[in-house]
Amino acid sequence: MASEITYAEVRIKNESNSSVTYSGSPAAPREKPTRHLSKPGSLLVPFTSLMVLLLLLAITFLVAFIIYFQKYSQFLEEKKAIKGITHEELNCIKNVSLMEAPGIRQRVLSLEIDLCILAPKEKSWSCCPKDWKPFGSHCYWVTTHTSTDSAASWNESEKKCFSMGAHLLVIHSKEEQDFITGILNSRAAYFIGLWDSGHRQWQWVSQTPYNESATFWHKDEPSSDDEKCVIINRRMNSKWGWNDIRCSEKQQSVCQMKKIHL
Ligand code: MMA
């Protein structure tokens, strides 16, 4: 009995017209499908939890970074402000808002610069160097008239103020004039930051405009074109006022600077 033979012929024709013939060869094995060992969705819960955790962690880091960055820039700003200070000890006033403490407007504290750095960060401290007197937005320093070497020419006096980060006194108002005369010695005369830049062109050292309505010249002053610098003193009539004198005369002086805000 002739055995039955089954032929299988597959002819595949590709685009380049070359033909490949497989005869009797078994079909190429197919890729095994991945087997799912567990039910779909059972990994979803831990995966989602992990993602949420990572997201929370990322948000926490971001918030921490932003807060740290803000604090650091604040610190740098304050360091910059302090860099210009040549005085080792400051007296600071904290302006307490009425919301914080009704009835209390100001609290006075004396503290060292190091403490000022650590103080609350809202720049709510107004400071003057130790031994300087605060008034309005400025600090004032008066030479001691009893000390022999504190009398100096106008130029030397201005230089001395400059070396302390200040300038000779500029008087802006009647209130300021009254405050200053209240802390001066009536037997001394003090240079102020007013000078004649030529033929009665009065000029303040700090570029403050010379305002005729806020001047406090003694009677019959200014008196001479040769006298180009100005002192504040008390005359026989017991009134404080200004007088022009020669710049080379040696007198006491008053320095002034803007309050330091920390
Ligand atoms: C007098 C008076 C002033 C002048 C000074 C100079 C004491 O006051 O003449 O006008 O500026 O002398 O020291």
Side-chain angles (χ1 to χ4, degrees):
M1 223 172 120
S3 59
E4 256 180 42
I5 300 167
T6 308
Y7 292 97
E9 189 172 287
V10 180
R11 192 175 285 262
I12 298 171
K13 206 172 182 185
N14 72 3
E15 277 176 355
S16 63
N17 262 353
S18 66
S19 61
V20 181
T21 306
Y22 299 92
S23 295
S25 58
R30 275 195 206 153
E31 215 177 277
K32 267 189 182 174
T34 324
R35 280 179 67 206
H36 292 281
L37 294 170
S38 48
K39 282 185 220 157
S42 62
L43 276 177
L44 203 65
V45 175
F47 179 75
T48 314
S49 314
L50 190 72
M51 289 314 278
V52 168
L53 199 74
L54 283 177
L55 193 70
L56 282 176
L57 215 62
I59 291 170
T60 311
F61 270 115
L62 193 71
V63 169
F65 179 77
I66 290 170
I67 292 172
Y68 176 80
F69 183 76
Q70 277 177 343
K71 296 259 173 208
Y72 187 67
S73 6
Q74 218 163 20
F75 167 75
L76 283 185
E77 220 172 89
E78 278 171 25
K79 214 173 136 197
K80 210 168 117 192
I82 287 178
K83 218 177 152 188
I85 302 169
T86 50
H87 308 274
E88 286 191 351
E89 204 175 317
L90 302 175
N91 284 330
C92 298
I93 293 172
K94 188 184 185 198
N95 303 311
V96 180
S97 82
L98 293 176
M99 296 284 281
E100 269 178 66
I104 304 168
R105 296 199 67 184
Q106 286 187 330
R107 184 151 49 97
V108 184
L109 283 179
S110 177
L111 69 171
E112 306 244 339
I113 284 185
D114 285 356
L115 285 179
C116 284
I117 298 169
L118 301 170
K121 306 291 180 191
E122 298 87 27
K123 285 212 169 188
S124 51
W125 296 92
S126 305
C127 309
C128 282
K130 188 177 172 278
D131 301 329
W132 289 59
K133 300 244 174 341
F135 178 76
S137 52
H138 291 91
C139 312
Y140 302 81
W141 185 78
V142 181
T143 57
T144 318
H145 73 287
T146 46
S147 157
T148 44
D149 59 354
S150 64
S153 70
W154 189 91
N155 266 313
E156 288 163 353
S157 303
E158 173 59 9
K159 264 190 211 162
K160 193 160 51 186
C161 293
F162 187 78
S163 73
M164 294 189 287
H167 52 71
L168 277 170
L169 170 66
V170 173
I171 297 173
H172 305 82
S173 64
K174 172 87 169 66
E175 290 72 31
E176 202 172 14
Q177 163 89 2
D178 291 346
F179 162 75
I180 281 299
T181 55
I183 61 169
L184 298 183
N185 187 288
S186 57
R187 284 189 297 270
Y190 301 82
F191 273 125
I192 64 173
L194 189 59
W195 61 291
D196 179 6
S197 60
H199 305 291
R200 313 285 85 175
Q201 294 294 307
W202 297 106
Q203 210 162 312
W204 289 110
V205 283
S206 69
Q207 309 304 317
T208 305
Y210 177 73
N211 174 10
E212 200 74 56
S213 67
T215 59
F216 306 95
W217 292 105
H218 279 298
K219 192 170 177 286
D220 301 327
E221 302 295 348
S223 58
S224 166
D225 214 3
D226 297 335
E227 300 178 327
K228 298 195 176 301
C229 289
V230 179
I231 50 159
I232 184 169
N233 67 350
R234 191 176 180 182
R235 279 196 173 164
M236 289 305 193
N237 59 10
S238 90
K239 278 198 179 138
W240 285 92
W242 304 351
N243 177 29
D244 56 337
I245 64 164
R246 288 179 182 273
C247 300
S248 55
E249 274 194 45
K250 288 188 184 288
Q251 301 290 352
Q252 304 301 320
S253 55
V254 183
C255 297
Q256 179 190 49
M257 66 159 78
K258 281 228 159 74
K259 275 184 181 169
I260 301 153
H261 297 285
L262 298 175

